[in-house]
Amino acid sequence: MASAALTSSCPLGHSRVKSISFSSRSCLNPVFSPSVLSKSTPNNSSLIKTLSLTPIISTNRIQKSHRKLTVKAAASSPAATTPPPQQPWQGAAMKPLLASIATGVILWFLPVPSGVSRNAWQLLSIFLATIVGIITQPLPLGAVALLGLGASVLTKTLTFSAAFSAFGDPIPWLIALAFFFARGFIKTGLGNRIAYQFVSLFGSSSLGLGYSLVFSEALLAPAIPSVSARAGGIFLPLVKSLCVACGSNVGDGTENRLGSWLMLTCFQTSVISSSMFLTAMAANPLSANLAFNTIKQQIGWTDWAKAAIVPGLVSLLVVPLILYVIYPPSVKTSPDAPRLAKEKLEKMGPMTKNEIIMAGTLFLTVGLWIFGGMLNVDAVTAAILGLSILLVTGVVTWKECLAESVAWDTLTWFAALIAMAGYLNKYGLIAWFSQTVVKVVGGLGLSWQMSFGILVLLYFYSHYFFASGAAHIGAMFTAFLSVASALGTPSYLGALVLSFLSNLMGGITHYGIGSAPVFFGAGYVPLAKWWGYGFLISVVNLIIWLGVGGIWWKALGLW
């Protein structure tokens, strides 16, 4: 205020204005007003200079005195230093890591059972340690799997080429390619367009939306023999788009809004639809072939579908409802959703060029998945062709593919588990396990129904040790079917049941069937919940297929 008064009323030089302004701000001589001085003193220049210098000298003395006091105080007290901020630990979580290592070490030094080679036992210990690490996650899944492969090579349990052999397997690459397709769906907006169409038709409730996806996937199942391609290339992008359209995203606390339930539901029902048709999963013809070699009876496409249709439909109806009750989405009804979806579709307007390219590429890829057998084009080759079109046209860029970290992480851990599980079979551990089971169950003297029930449970839950349905079928199907037949189980019934279960058992883990890594990799469901609900739904499926299915098979005259 004093400075402003001085500037307006006193025609002085710049330096004097600053001096008086300083003294007035310092409040050392508040009784003087420059306007008063200019009016009362005819020759006020020297007086103003004196007045302006006096407070400055006083101020300087005070400042020097203050500095001395500050220096003395600083000298008499310890120097205050700010510790540098500590960087958070970015390595492994030590307790889960130690639990994983302890599992492997303990098993490593246990006595090797008779009939098991030392190499097989060592690989089993590393495999189980890796599984514990994947469950407890001291590091990301790909890193845990890489540590397992490193331990296998370091201990000479596997050669380098054997440990990394599954990186040349088509299934992990098909799963990775599915993530790249999902990127194209979302980027072009085609996924949102399809999602809004579904919401406009069935979106008044989350349950209705879920059932529409479940039965759409089941209708495609007999025409697309790769569950990885079907789930990852078609339905995962669609489900992701629906989740995003409904405000359910990964990492922002909205996962349970819709995505968690929808992802788990679509995955669990994908293993059911795979079990319903001979052509719904790539390994199903292997089961039929092994059954023919063992019991000399052919399982035809119609025979398979007729036996599976009733328990399959019951499972497709019951499983989503059970998950809806025990793992519910927070948004259950949305009466305005269909109207809003139609408005969104109107705003989107006609399909863009990139959407048309994406849709055409999808139809081409799916067509090759369906008719590829006649053209001698396998599923992964068809997917690579589709991705090549997307890359050439710029719908998806290679930089975007490289940025899909989940795809590369999934490729790493899935290939690692396939390699270790495959060599457990090659080293004879699975054959030893099958023979041991056969001897134990055969010696119990039970009825064929009870004996077959025990065999079914052992066959089903031994899938925790497999990262591939085909590997499990190849290793254990013939032995278990032979024992079941020898113990009095109707041979054709036994072959059908083991064939159906060879699909259903894929739902217990996040690596047991081709659709598992795809849906788990979306990130909506934590690993502990994935395994917990996977086990619960496996019990539900066994009750339905052996209970309702048993009655249906009795009506068909299969036993």
Side-chain angles (χ1 to χ4, degrees):
M1 293 288 289
S3 297
L6 175 60
T7 304
S8 60
S9 61
C10 186
L12 299 176
H14 178 68
S15 61
R16 291 176 184 171
V17 174
K18 285 175 72 174
S19 298
I20 294 177
S21 173
F22 174 77
S23 64
S24 63
R25 279 199 308 268
S26 303
C27 300
L28 294 174
N29 200 352
V31 296
F32 296 111
S33 171
S35 58
V36 174
L37 287 173
S38 62
K39 292 177 182 177
S40 61
T41 308
N43 188 11
N44 54 20
S45 187
S46 60
L47 178 59
I48 291 175
K49 187 184 289 186
T50 304
L51 290 172
S52 66
L53 289 175
T54 301
I56 292 172
I57 293 169
S58 301
T59 303
N60 290 339
R61 286 175 180 170
I62 291 171
Q63 288 175 342
K64 287 179 181 178
S65 174
H66 177 69
R67 286 194 200 102
K68 288 178 182 179
L69 289 172
T70 303
V71 170
K72 286 180 181 178
S76 62
S77 62
T81 58
T82 303
Q86 291 185 351
Q87 293 294 328
W89 173 250
Q90 296 182 345
M94 297 312 296
K95 287 183 179 179
L97 181 63
L98 291 174
S100 175
I101 294 172
T103 300
V105 170
I106 291 171
L107 191 62
W108 183 283
F109 289 105
L110 286 177
V112 180
S114 176
V116 178
S117 68
R118 184 67 197 172
N119 256 13
W121 191 253
Q122 290 175 352
L123 183 57
L124 177 64
S125 66
I126 295 172
F127 180 78
L128 289 179
T130 304
I131 294 298
V132 171
I134 284 175
I135 295 169
T136 58
Q137 294 187 56
L139 287 168
L141 301 188
V144 172
L146 201 60
L147 291 178
L149 291 183
S152 301
V153 176
L154 183 65
T155 58
K156 309 297 182 184
T157 303
L158 292 176
T159 64
F160 181 87
S161 59
F164 288 86
S165 59
F167 283 86
D169 190 286
I171 296 300
W173 284 102
L174 185 60
I175 291 167
L177 290 166
F179 282 100
F180 303 151
F181 267 82
R183 164 73 72 167
F185 256 80
I186 294 171
K187 178 186 175 182
T188 61
L190 179 63
N192 281 338
R193 185 181 296 276
I194 298 173
Y196 290 138
Q197 289 283 6
F198 267 92
V199 173
S200 67
L201 294 173
F202 309 104
S204 58
S205 72
S206 299
L207 191 60
L209 185 62
Y211 274 122
S212 69
L213 290 170
V214 166
F215 284 97
S216 297
E217 194 269 342
L219 286 174
L220 287 179
I224 302 176
S226 169
V227 66
S228 305
R230 191 170 71 244
I234 300 173
F235 281 90
L236 174 67
L238 180 56
V239 174
K240 271 188 173 181
S241 298
L242 283 167
C243 294
V244 173
C246 294
S248 184
N249 302 291
V250 176
D252 64 356
T254 60
E255 295 90 347
N256 287 335
R257 185 177 175 84
L258 177 67
S260 299
W261 171 77
L262 200 57
M263 286 287 175
L264 198 57
T265 295
C266 288
F267 163 64
Q268 287 294 343
T269 52
S270 74
V271 304
I272 297 169
S273 60
S274 295
S275 67
M276 292 174 66
F277 306 99
L278 178 63
T279 52
M281 209 268 274
N284 286 349
L286 174 61
S287 298
N289 184 58
L290 292 176
F292 179 77
N293 293 337
T294 306
I295 63 174
K296 304 306 177 186
Q297 288 181 272
Q298 183 69 54
I299 302 176
W301 193 95
T302 305
D303 299 326
W304 184 303
K306 186 168 63 175
I309 191 68
V310 170
L313 287 175
V314 173
S315 282
L316 290 178
L317 289 169
V318 170
V319 167
L321 189 59
I322 288 178
L323 287 173
Y324 189 81
V325 173
I326 63 175
Y327 195 39
S330 59
V331 175
K332 294 182 174 61
T333 59
S334 50
D336 293 331
R339 177 181 56 81
L340 294 173
K342 290 176 182 176
E343 291 177 1
K344 290 282 188 181
L345 286 170
E346 290 176 3
K347 285 183 180 180
M348 292 182 75
M351 290 179 68
T352 63
K353 180 186 72 174
N354 280 354
E355 282 184 272
I356 293 171
I357 294 172
M358 185 71 218
T361 304
L362 178 65
F363 279 118
L364 173 64
T365 307
V366 172
L368 289 174
W369 284 337
I370 296 172
F371 303 108
M374 293 183 285
L375 302 173
N376 200 25
V377 178
D378 58 49
V380 71
T381 303
I384 290 173
L385 175 61
L387 180 62
S388 299
I389 295 172
L390 298 181
L391 290 172
V392 169
T393 57
V395 173
V396 175
T397 67
W398 183 241
K399 188 174 182 180
E400 289 170 334
C401 293
L402 292 175
E404 285 287 338
S405 57
V406 174
W408 300 109
D409 187 58
T410 303
L411 171 67
T412 301
W413 66 257
F414 196 50
L417 292 183
I418 287 177
M420 285 192 276
Y423 273 87
L424 282 175
N425 187 28
K426 288 183 180 180
Y427 285 166
L429 185 74
I430 303 302
W432 168 82
F433 174 76
S434 300
Q435 291 167 7
T436 303
V437 168
V438 166
K439 290 178 182 177
V440 171
V441 176
L444 294 177
L446 301 173
S447 66
W448 73 263
Q449 292 92 342
M450 292 296 295
S451 298
F452 187 58
I454 294 172
L455 288 173
V456 160
L457 292 177
L458 290 171
Y459 181 80
F460 192 96
Y461 288 108
S462 62
H463 195 63
Y464 281 110
F465 299 101
F466 289 91
S468 163
H472 192 156
I473 293 166
M476 303 180 71
F477 187 94
T478 300
F480 274 70
L481 179 56
S482 299
V483 175
S485 301
L487 294 175
T489 303
S491 300
Y492 195 69
L493 173 67
L496 282 170
V497 172
L498 291 178
S499 298
F500 301 151
L501 298 184
S502 296
N503 292 276
L504 296 172
M505 63 191 181
I508 61 178
T509 66
H510 63 299
Y511 54 81
I513 198 169
S515 58
V518 180
F519 281 107
F520 174 74
Y524 279 90
V525 184
L527 187 61
K529 289 181 182 286
W530 190 277
W531 278 50
Y533 289 127
F535 177 78
L536 180 62
I537 296 302
S538 74
V539 174
V540 172
N541 278 328
L542 285 173
I543 292 172
I544 291 172
W545 283 77
L546 297 180
V548 176
I551 297 171
W552 173 243
W553 300 327
K554 180 73 171 177
L556 291 177
L558 295 178
W559 63 282

